Structure formats: C-alpha cells, structure tokens
Amino acid sequence: MNDYGTILVVDDNEAVLTALKYCLVGTFEKVMTLTNPDRLIALLGQEHVDIILLDMNFTLGVNSGQDGLFWLQAIHKHHPEIPVVLITAYADVQLAVRGLKRGAADFVTKPWDNDDLVRKLKDVLDAKKNVATLDEVESEHIQRALDRCNGNLTKAAELLGITRQTLYNKIKRLQ
C-alpha cells in the first residue's frame, strides 16, 4: 500500500534513479526523480515532498560526499521539515557521522537492499508522524491536570503553576 506520500530521489545516475523508482513505487504515492541537484530547491518550492533520498556525490571524479552535505544543508535551510536520507556508493563511517550530525535522518550505502531501504524510509516517516505538536502535548497535560483536580479550574491552574484565567484562555484556544 503506497500511503507514504511523495519521495524525491536525487542522483546523477539515470540507472540508479530507474532502479530506485521501481523499488519505491509500491510504497510511495509519488516517486519523483531529479538528476541535477541545482534544480532541487526550486522544485521543493513547487512540489510537496515528504522525504528526500539524496546522493552524496555529483561532481565527476570526486567521492568526498561534500556535494551531498552541501545540498543537505541547503534543504534544511529552506525546508527543515523534510527529512533527508543520504545514499552513496563511497561510504565510510566518518562520512555517515558527518551527514547525521548535519541533520540527515539516515544513511544508506549502494548497492542497497530493497527491503532494508524501504524499511529505513518508512521508519523515518513513521518517526516524523509520531512526534506530537506542542498544542497536543499542552492539551494532554491540561486534561491530566483537570482530571486530577476533578474539573476544578482553580486547583488545576495551581497544579500547573498558572493563573485560572491563563488556564481558561489555554483551554479556549486549544478547543
């Protein structure tokens, strides 16, 4: 079932893009591909993307991963809400750690195992879905305080360390 939204795969190798498209089409509602990362930021401004699978090397003959780290930073600057999974054939532990420290959600090596790749991408998106918003956390906390105080706003406000009026306003805002 393809209920994981849209994935954008960025890699300069057409064969890799084709293989990844076949691998991911059953999991994602939409699989977009891009061979040139220079169009990446503009594309993200035009299309809704839920996750990005980003190659680490785009400069011919250079395998340092710096291209991928540059584009990872650019994505996070303009679209920090989109998780990025890095992929490369020239993997080493230091490169993976640098990518993760700079905000990558995960790291995959080429050649990849299809099932493992899909699982990693799903895990990243599932983890993103499981993060509660501040309003949800606040609402749940207020409800627990009210339950503990049997619905008494004054006592619940004292328990929460806020005024009764502030509690009333928060309840009204969160409804």
Side-chain angles (χ1 to χ4, degrees):
M1 184 170 193
N2 53 359
D3 59 352
Y4 280 91
T6 300
I7 185 168
L8 173 61
V9 182
V10 187
D11 197 302
D12 57 339
N13 185 325
E14 289 280 354
V16 168
L17 291 176
T18 300
L20 285 168
K21 193 165 190 168
Y22 281 115
C23 171
L24 301 172
V25 75
T27 302
F28 290 89
E29 190 175 316
K30 185 175 183 182
V31 179
M32 298 170 50
T33 60
L34 191 60
T35 56
N36 185 346
D38 291 337
R39 296 185 25 233
L40 178 60
I41 301 304
L43 178 68
L44 293 176
Q46 299 167 351
E47 296 276 348
H48 173 78
V49 173
D50 295 291
I51 190 168
I52 298 170
L53 185 58
L54 177 67
D55 190 24
M56 295 290 295
N57 298 297
F58 293 96
T59 304
L60 192 61
V62 177
N63 302 321
S64 67
Q66 291 305 310
D67 293 335
L69 295 176
F70 170 82
W71 289 108
L72 173 65
Q73 186 176 0
I75 293 165
H76 281 312
K77 180 179 178 184
H78 297 281
H79 300 279
E81 75 286 358
I82 303 175
V84 178
V85 174
L86 300 173
I87 186 168
T88 186
Y90 304 97
D92 64 40
V93 173
Q94 290 178 339
L95 180 58
V97 169
R98 283 198 333 250
L100 294 171
K101 281 185 175 180
R102 293 187 186 185
D106 211 332
F107 192 88
V108 177
T109 58
K110 297 175 189 174
W112 62 89
D113 173 88
N114 286 348
D115 293 334
D116 187 47
L117 173 65
V118 168
R119 181 189 50 75
K120 283 184 179 192
L121 294 168
K122 284 180 173 183
D123 286 349
V124 167
L125 288 170
D126 288 343
K128 184 180 172 189
K129 289 178 188 173
N130 290 332
V131 175
T133 66
L134 287 175
D135 283 346
E136 291 169 338
V137 171
E138 184 177 43
S139 179
E140 185 178 311
H141 192 63
I142 288 170
Q143 189 58 54
R144 278 198 308 259
L146 286 168
D147 290 346
R148 190 169 175 188
C149 298
N150 298 317
N152 186 316
L153 284 179
T154 303
K155 286 183 180 180
E158 287 175 16
L159 182 64
L160 293 168
I162 58 178
T163 66
R164 184 180 195 282
Q165 184 62 46
T166 300
L167 177 57
Y168 177 78
N169 290 340
K170 287 182 178 290
I171 292 169
K172 191 175 179 180
R173 180 180 58 84
L174 292 169
Q175 288 180 338

